[in-house]
Amino acid sequence: MMFNLLNFATLAAVLAVTGTQANPLEARAASCTFPSPPKTSSLSSARTIPAGTTFDGGNVRFDRGSGACEGQHEGGDADAVFLVEDGATVQNVVIGANQAEGIHCLGSCTLKNVWFEDVCEDAVTIKQSSGTSTITGGGAKHAEDKVIQHNGGGNVVITNFCVQDFGKLYRSCGNCKTQHKRTVSISNIIASDGSSIAGINSNYGDVATITKSSLTLSNVKSVCDTYEGNDDGDEPDKLTSNTSNANCKF
Ligand SMILES: *[C@@H]1O[C@H](CO)[C@@H](O)[C@H](O)[C@H]1NC(C)=O
């Protein structure tokens, strides 16, 4: 009897250890300790990360050279730092202030421990037609407006992320020419000094699922807002603010 119990305890201990080692990144909580890289790499053009590959930046700072940020001027793919193709991963990268468009995901992408020191127009633009893109670990500071802009379709997962001094952490495009029903799930966020965690278009059936108990908010006005989106470029009207409903689930 004693022998069996001891064996069980040993086995349980071994399982517990392998369990925590299996997925150290995913198990980590959000951190607001931004890396401070000694080295900056200024790219003369946007760098493409080919489909299905992983780019590990080793926590080097990447930018596009001084003067590259022109405030809320809407840029294109050519103004990004990284263009991430379908199924590709970018990890351990710091994006400096001298850039305009941050990272564009052309298909479903994974961004792990990507840090935006000073967001310009926006930090991440999701252009996938369907599928799931995941942003896990890392953080963003000083986004006048949006941090993660979802222009394509499908689903976005944002977890273990820190955001400071921002407009919206996530926005489903309010006035893109081609609109979609978009979904987002948000958990384990440390957010301070911002207007909202998520903004979605209820008229297109968007759904934001936000685990409220996993958010640490300080001076953030709203968890989730709904808008009347359009496809003609007009500024969309806000319908509800900080209200849990069928589209804003928190
Ligand atoms: C927004 O809603 C959350 C959750 O219901 C609440 O805790 C928070 O106080 C609200 N914020 C404001 C600014 O009313």
Side-chain angles (χ1 to χ4, degrees):
M1 190 62 176
M2 196 53 157
F3 180 73
N4 280 341
L5 275 174
L6 279 174
N7 267 353
F8 176 77
T10 309
L11 179 63
V14 168
L15 284 174
V17 169
T18 49
T20 52
Q21 282 175 346
N23 232 338
L25 270 177
E26 274 66 28
R28 219 178 66 177
S31 158
C32 291
T33 307
F34 282 66
S36 40
K39 194 167 168 278
T40 299
S41 173
S42 288
L43 306 176
S44 56
S45 59
R47 176 164 179 167
T48 297
I49 310 304
T53 65
T54 294
F55 174 75
D56 190 316
N59 274 330
V60 166
R61 176 186 297 107
F62 290 86
D63 70 15
R64 292 293 308 277
S66 71
C69 173
E70 297 170 27
Q72 290 301 298
H73 169 80
E74 180 92 48
D77 287 348
D79 304 305
V81 182
F82 293 105
L83 297 175
V84 187
E85 292 184 343
D86 192 47
T89 296
V90 170
Q91 60 191 28
N92 303 322
V93 157
V94 178
I95 306 290
N98 291 327
Q99 47 80 37
E101 283 282 327
I103 295 182
H104 283 197
C105 288
L106 307 180
S108 297
C109 68
T110 301
L111 308 181
K112 272 187 197 166
N113 300 330
V114 176
W115 302 88
F116 298 86
E117 295 182 315
D118 190 349
V119 176
C120 184
E121 208 278 316
D122 50 25
V124 179
T125 304
I126 305 283
K127 304 178 86 172
Q128 65 188 8
S129 50
S130 62
T132 295
S133 285
T134 301
I135 295 136
T136 176
K141 288 185 202 176
H142 313 309
E144 235 174 85
D145 190 10
K146 290 157 243 180
V147 177
I148 296 158
Q149 167 84 28
H150 191 176
N151 288 353
N155 181 45
V156 173
V157 174
I158 308 166
T159 188
N160 301 342
F161 199 79
C162 170
V163 61
Q164 300 176 331
D165 180 26
F166 65 103
K168 305 172 183 81
L169 171 61
Y170 168 92
R171 178 71 171 103
S172 166
C173 184
N175 55 13
C176 284
K177 272 198 210 92
T178 305
Q179 288 288 29
H180 301 265
K181 172 194 186 314
R182 306 183 180 100
T183 55
V184 61
S185 102
I186 301 178
S187 60
N188 291 314
I189 306 294
I190 304 176
S192 57
D193 305 310
S195 97
S196 66
I197 297 299
I200 59 171
N201 309 314
S202 47
N203 57 315
Y204 291 120
D206 290 353
V207 177
T209 305
I210 303 171
T211 312
K212 206 182 85 184
S213 60
S214 73
L215 308 182
T216 305
L217 306 183
S218 145
N219 193 25
V220 174
K221 291 191 190 80
S222 171
V223 173
C224 184
D225 298 334
T226 61
Y227 291 82
E228 171 99 30
N230 64 70
D231 58 7
D232 53 20
D234 287 351
E235 208 44 53
D237 292 329
K238 195 186 277 188
L239 301 174
T240 66
S241 180
N242 206 30
T243 306
S244 178
N245 53 42
N247 302 91
C248 279
K249 297 184 175 170
F250 65 87

